[in-house]
Structures are given as structure tokens and as C-alpha cells.
Amino acid sequence: MATYTAAYSRFTNRMDEVDLVRSVARDIEKREGTRANLETTRGLCRGGIVLLCSHIEGYIEDLASLGLNKLADKEIPKETVSNSFKYHLSRDLIVAISGANQPESIAEKVDLLFQRDGHIWDSTTSFTHPLQVEKFVGRFSTPTHENIRRFFRRFGYVTFGDDLAARLKANFPICSNMVEQVVDQRNKIAHGDFLAYRTPSDLQEMCKYVRMYCRYTDLAVGNWFKGIGCSIRD
């Protein structure tokens, strides 16, 4: 059995893109210190931060998607995940039903719930049909540590934060804080804050601790799925 999931392997491959941006920025930084070179370096680092944040988000979604697909492929008993897991799979329709006030509209949405997600809510004991991945992960967009922790609670994995802290040990504060910093910088950049920039060395440090955070996340989440009889590392 592999040590890491395919989702983590894809993440490490995508991180090469950030490394390339950082490398180019570092080379320009070493040239004559003109204003043009300074602005180019800062612009590249801003772009690298945006990429880094998107790769964290993409990795978490990819990891969750892998788990969802395996739950169905392996016909895992429904009782192994939390009750709220089903809610998150059907949330769009449940919210639509609760927001409707006309009987005809409500009936149409209830019919759609039974047609699309009846296999999730019926009395069968296992998941035997493909699960709607995009419905489950679609509302995850800001990969802070707290949001990641809450995201995995959807499956019933309630000890993710503690498990990750136990694995990272002394590195947990700096790794989780670095993920927060990446998101914060991404948000500032997205809102046009031109003072939000980092040096190539800063970006390298960000990548180092983000990689560590995601590597140990992969181990923790992989072990949790293995514990419910649903290995996601094979």
C-alpha cells in the first residue's frame, strides 16, 4: 500500500509550478536592483502566493473527492460516517426545499431529491451508487486550517485537528499559521492590495510549511478512512 494518496502526489506535482515562479523571481531579484526588477519580483511572488493558495484548496477538494469515490466503490456502510454527511451531499436540494413556500414548487424539489439522492437516504445499509462529489465539495473555497478542520467533520472525522497536531508536534503552530498567512495574503492580493507582497525567500518558506501541512494531513485523513474500512491509498 502506498504511503500517500494519489491526491497528495498530484499536489506535489502542482507545487512544481509555484517553485518555478519562485525560482524566476529569485533570479530577477539577484539582478541589478532597478525599480522594474523590484516590481517584477514582487509581481511574481504575488502570483506565486495565489497559485499556492489555489493548490492547497485543490488538494483538499481532491482528497475529499477521493474519499467520496472510495465510499461508493467499496460499498462502505452508511453508519460509518456522520449523519450530517448525507445532508452535505443533498444540501442544495434541502436548502431549496426549505426556502420554497409554494406547494407545487416544494413537491417538485422533493421529487428531485428522491430521484437524485434517494439512494443516499433510503434504508439500504451501504453506499452503492456514485456520490455527487461536486455537491459535497462545491462550497469549500477558503482553505484556512479551521475551514479544513470543519470540512473533514462532514465525513464524521471530528479529531482531524488533534490528530494533525499530534503528527506535526512542534511544527503544528507554524504550519497551521502559515496556511492562514497564505490565505490572508491571497485575499489581500485579490482585493488589489499592492502592499501585499513577499520576497522569493518568503515564498520558499511558505511552500516548505504548506508542503509539511499537506503531507501530514494526507497521513491523518488516510488513516481515518482506513479505520472505517475505506482505504484511499491503494
Side-chain angles (χ1 to χ4, degrees), residues 89-100:
L89 286 169
S90 301
R91 182 183 182 277
D92 60 321
L93 295 177
I94 293 172
V95 170
I97 292 168
S98 65

mmCIF file with all atom_site columns, all heavy atoms in Angstrom, residues 89-100:
data_model
loop_
_atom_site.group_PDB
_atom_site.id
_atom_site.type_symbol
_atom_site.label_atom_id
_atom_site.label_alt_id
_atom_site.label_comp_id
_atom_site.label_asym_id
_atom_site.label_entity_id
_atom_site.label_seq_id
_atom_site.pdbx_PDB_ins_code
_atom_site.Cartn_x
_atom_site.Cartn_y
_atom_site.Cartn_z
_atom_site.occupancy
_atom_site.B_iso_or_equiv
_atom_site.pdbx_formal_charge
_atom_site.auth_seq_id
_atom_site.auth_comp_id
_atom_site.auth_asym_id
_atom_site.auth_atom_id
_atom_site.pdbx_PDB_model_num
ATOM 1  N N   . LEU A 1 89  ? -24.317 16.097 1.147  1.00 0.00 ? 89  LEU A N   1
ATOM 2  C CA  . LEU A 1 89  ? -24.464 15.584 -0.215 1.00 0.00 ? 89  LEU A CA  1
ATOM 3  C C   . LEU A 1 89  ? -25.721 16.137 -0.887 1.00 0.00 ? 89  LEU A C   1
ATOM 4  O O   . LEU A 1 89  ? -25.770 16.295 -2.110 1.00 0.00 ? 89  LEU A O   1
ATOM 5  C CB  . LEU A 1 89  ? -24.533 14.058 -0.195 1.00 0.00 ? 89  LEU A CB  1
ATOM 6  C CG  . LEU A 1 89  ? -23.219 13.319 0.065  1.00 0.00 ? 89  LEU A CG  1
ATOM 7  C CD1 . LEU A 1 89  ? -23.486 11.851 0.331  1.00 0.00 ? 89  LEU A CD1 1
ATOM 8  C CD2 . LEU A 1 89  ? -22.253 13.485 -1.103 1.00 0.00 ? 89  LEU A CD2 1
ATOM 9  N N   . SER A 1 90  ? -26.745 16.419 -0.090 1.00 0.00 ? 90  SER A N   1
ATOM 10 C CA  . SER A 1 90  ? -28.036 16.876 -0.635 1.00 0.00 ? 90  SER A CA  1
ATOM 11 C C   . SER A 1 90  ? -28.355 18.319 -0.241 1.00 0.00 ? 90  SER A C   1
ATOM 12 O O   . SER A 1 90  ? -29.486 18.762 -0.409 1.00 0.00 ? 90  SER A O   1
ATOM 13 C CB  . SER A 1 90  ? -29.168 15.962 -0.137 1.00 0.00 ? 90  SER A CB  1
ATOM 14 O OG  . SER A 1 90  ? -28.955 14.630 -0.509 1.00 0.00 ? 90  SER A OG  1
ATOM 15 N N   . ARG A 1 91  ? -27.383 19.030 0.255  1.00 0.00 ? 91  ARG A N   1
ATOM 16 C CA  . ARG A 1 91  ? -27.641 20.347 0.834  1.00 0.00 ? 91  ARG A CA  1
ATOM 17 C C   . ARG A 1 91  ? -28.343 21.284 -0.143 1.00 0.00 ? 91  ARG A C   1
ATOM 18 O O   . ARG A 1 91  ? -29.248 22.024 0.243  1.00 0.00 ? 91  ARG A O   1
ATOM 19 C CB  . ARG A 1 91  ? -26.337 20.988 1.299  1.00 0.00 ? 91  ARG A CB  1
ATOM 20 C CG  . ARG A 1 91  ? -26.547 22.353 1.968  1.00 0.00 ? 91  ARG A CG  1
ATOM 21 C CD  . ARG A 1 91  ? -25.230 23.005 2.356  1.00 0.00 ? 91  ARG A CD  1
ATOM 22 N NE  . ARG A 1 91  ? -25.463 24.258 3.032  1.00 0.00 ? 91  ARG A NE  1
ATOM 23 C CZ  . ARG A 1 91  ? -25.701 25.407 2.427  1.00 0.00 ? 91  ARG A CZ  1
ATOM 24 N NH1 . ARG A 1 91  ? -25.747 25.452 1.101  1.00 0.00 ? 91  ARG A NH1 1
ATOM 25 N NH2 . ARG A 1 91  ? -25.899 26.524 3.127  1.00 0.00 ? 91  ARG A NH2 1
ATOM 26 N N   . ASP A 1 92  ? -27.939 21.280 -1.397 1.00 0.00 ? 92  ASP A N   1
ATOM 27 C CA  . ASP A 1 92  ? -28.529 22.223 -2.361 1.00 0.00 ? 92  ASP A CA  1
ATOM 28 C C   . ASP A 1 92  ? -30.037 22.025 -2.471 1.00 0.00 ? 92  ASP A C   1
ATOM 29 O O   . ASP A 1 92  ? -30.811 23.008 -2.498 1.00 0.00 ? 92  ASP A O   1
ATOM 30 C CB  . ASP A 1 92  ? -27.864 22.086 -3.726 1.00 0.00 ? 92  ASP A CB  1
ATOM 31 C CG  . ASP A 1 92  ? -28.003 20.681 -4.313 1.00 0.00 ? 92  ASP A CG  1
ATOM 32 O OD1 . ASP A 1 92  ? -27.902 19.692 -3.554 1.00 0.00 ? 92  ASP A OD1 1
ATOM 33 O OD2 . ASP A 1 92  ? -28.219 20.589 -5.544 1.00 0.00 ? 92  ASP A OD2 1
ATOM 34 N N   . LEU A 1 93  ? -30.482 20.769 -2.489 1.00 0.00 ? 93  LEU A N   1
ATOM 35 C CA  . LEU A 1 93  ? -31.911 20.492 -2.615 1.00 0.00 ? 93  LEU A CA  1
ATOM 36 C C   . LEU A 1 93  ? -32.648 20.740 -1.298 1.00 0.00 ? 93  LEU A C   1
ATOM 37 O O   . LEU A 1 93  ? -33.780 21.224 -1.297 1.00 0.00 ? 93  LEU A O   1
ATOM 38 C CB  . LEU A 1 93  ? -32.124 19.052 -3.077 1.00 0.00 ? 93  LEU A CB  1
ATOM 39 C CG  . LEU A 1 93  ? -31.603 18.737 -4.484 1.00 0.00 ? 93  LEU A CG  1
ATOM 40 C CD1 . LEU A 1 93  ? -31.806 17.262 -4.814 1.00 0.00 ? 93  LEU A CD1 1
ATOM 41 C CD2 . LEU A 1 93  ? -32.285 19.608 -5.525 1.00 0.00 ? 93  LEU A CD2 1
ATOM 42 N N   . ILE A 1 94  ? -32.005 20.401 -0.181 1.00 0.00 ? 94  ILE A N   1
ATOM 43 C CA  . ILE A 1 94  ? -32.635 20.632 1.115  1.00 0.00 ? 94  ILE A CA  1
ATOM 44 C C   . ILE A 1 94  ? -32.851 22.122 1.348  1.00 0.00 ? 94  ILE A C   1
ATOM 45 O O   . ILE A 1 94  ? -33.911 22.544 1.821  1.00 0.00 ? 94  ILE A O   1
ATOM 46 C CB  . ILE A 1 94  ? -31.780 20.010 2.240  1.00 0.00 ? 94  ILE A CB  1
ATOM 47 C CG1 . ILE A 1 94  ? -31.770 18.487 2.118  1.00 0.00 ? 94  ILE A CG1 1
ATOM 48 C CG2 . ILE A 1 94  ? -32.303 20.439 3.614  1.00 0.00 ? 94  ILE A CG2 1
ATOM 49 C CD1 . ILE A 1 94  ? -30.805 17.796 3.056  1.00 0.00 ? 94  ILE A CD1 1
ATOM 50 N N   . VAL A 1 95  ? -31.847 22.918 1.015  1.00 0.00 ? 95  VAL A N   1
ATOM 51 C CA  . VAL A 1 95  ? -31.970 24.371 1.168  1.00 0.00 ? 95  VAL A CA  1
ATOM 52 C C   . VAL A 1 95  ? -33.060 24.907 0.244  1.00 0.00 ? 95  VAL A C   1
ATOM 53 O O   . VAL A 1 95  ? -33.838 25.790 0.626  1.00 0.00 ? 95  VAL A O   1
ATOM 54 C CB  . VAL A 1 95  ? -30.617 25.059 0.882  1.00 0.00 ? 95  VAL A CB  1
ATOM 55 C CG1 . VAL A 1 95  ? -30.785 26.578 0.787  1.00 0.00 ? 95  VAL A CG1 1
ATOM 56 C CG2 . VAL A 1 95  ? -29.608 24.711 1.965  1.00 0.00 ? 95  VAL A CG2 1
ATOM 57 N N   . ALA A 1 96  ? -33.114 24.373 -0.976 1.00 0.00 ? 96  ALA A N   1
ATOM 58 C CA  . ALA A 1 96  ? -34.141 24.819 -1.922 1.00 0.00 ? 96  ALA A CA  1
ATOM 59 C C   . ALA A 1 96  ? -35.541 24.485 -1.405 1.00 0.00 ? 96  ALA A C   1
ATOM 60 O O   . ALA A 1 96  ? -36.472 25.291 -1.534 1.00 0.00 ? 96  ALA A O   1
ATOM 61 C CB  . ALA A 1 96  ? -33.912 24.167 -3.281 1.00 0.00 ? 96  ALA A CB  1
ATOM 62 N N   . ILE A 1 97  ? -35.696 23.318 -0.809 1.00 0.00 ? 97  ILE A N   1
ATOM 63 C CA  . ILE A 1 97  ? -36.997 22.920 -0.252 1.00 0.00 ? 97  ILE A CA  1
ATOM 64 C C   . ILE A 1 97  ? -37.379 23.822 0.914  1.00 0.00 ? 97  ILE A C   1
ATOM 65 O O   . ILE A 1 97  ? -38.518 24.299 1.011  1.00 0.00 ? 97  ILE A O   1
ATOM 66 C CB  . ILE A 1 97  ? -36.964 21.447 0.200  1.00 0.00 ? 97  ILE A CB  1
ATOM 67 C CG1 . ILE A 1 97  ? -36.837 20.525 -1.017 1.00 0.00 ? 97  ILE A CG1 1
ATOM 68 C CG2 . ILE A 1 97  ? -38.223 21.090 1.003  1.00 0.00 ? 97  ILE A CG2 1
ATOM 69 C CD1 . ILE A 1 97  ? -36.515 19.082 -0.658 1.00 0.00 ? 97  ILE A CD1 1
ATOM 70 N N   . SER A 1 98  ? -36.429 24.072 1.806  1.00 0.00 ? 98  SER A N   1
ATOM 71 C CA  . SER A 1 98  ? -36.727 24.888 2.984  1.00 0.00 ? 98  SER A CA  1
ATOM 72 C C   . SER A 1 98  ? -37.026 26.336 2.614  1.00 0.00 ? 98  SER A C   1
ATOM 73 O O   . SER A 1 98  ? -37.735 27.039 3.337  1.00 0.00 ? 98  SER A O   1
ATOM 74 C CB  . SER A 1 98  ? -35.553 24.847 3.969  1.00 0.00 ? 98  SER A CB  1
ATOM 75 O OG  . SER A 1 98  ? -34.392 25.448 3.399  1.00 0.00 ? 98  SER A OG  1
ATOM 76 N N   . GLY A 1 99  ? -36.501 26.782 1.461  1.00 0.00 ? 99  GLY A N   1
ATOM 77 C CA  . GLY A 1 99  ? -36.732 28.158 1.043  1.00 0.00 ? 99  GLY A CA  1
ATOM 78 C C   . GLY A 1 99  ? -37.961 28.343 0.179  1.00 0.00 ? 99  GLY A C   1
ATOM 79 O O   . GLY A 1 99  ? -38.365 29.477 -0.106 1.00 0.00 ? 99  GLY A O   1
ATOM 80 N N   . ALA A 1 100 ? -38.577 27.244 -0.243 1.00 0.00 ? 100 ALA A N   1
ATOM 81 C CA  . ALA A 1 100 ? -39.770 27.330 -1.089 1.00 0.00 ? 100 ALA A CA  1
ATOM 82 C C   . ALA A 1 100 ? -41.015 27.501 -0.221 1.00 0.00 ? 100 ALA A C   1
ATOM 83 O O   . ALA A 1 100 ? -41.065 27.012 0.912  1.00 0.00 ? 100 ALA A O   1
ATOM 84 C CB  . ALA A 1 100 ? -39.893 26.070 -1.942 1.00 0.00 ? 100 ALA A CB  1
#
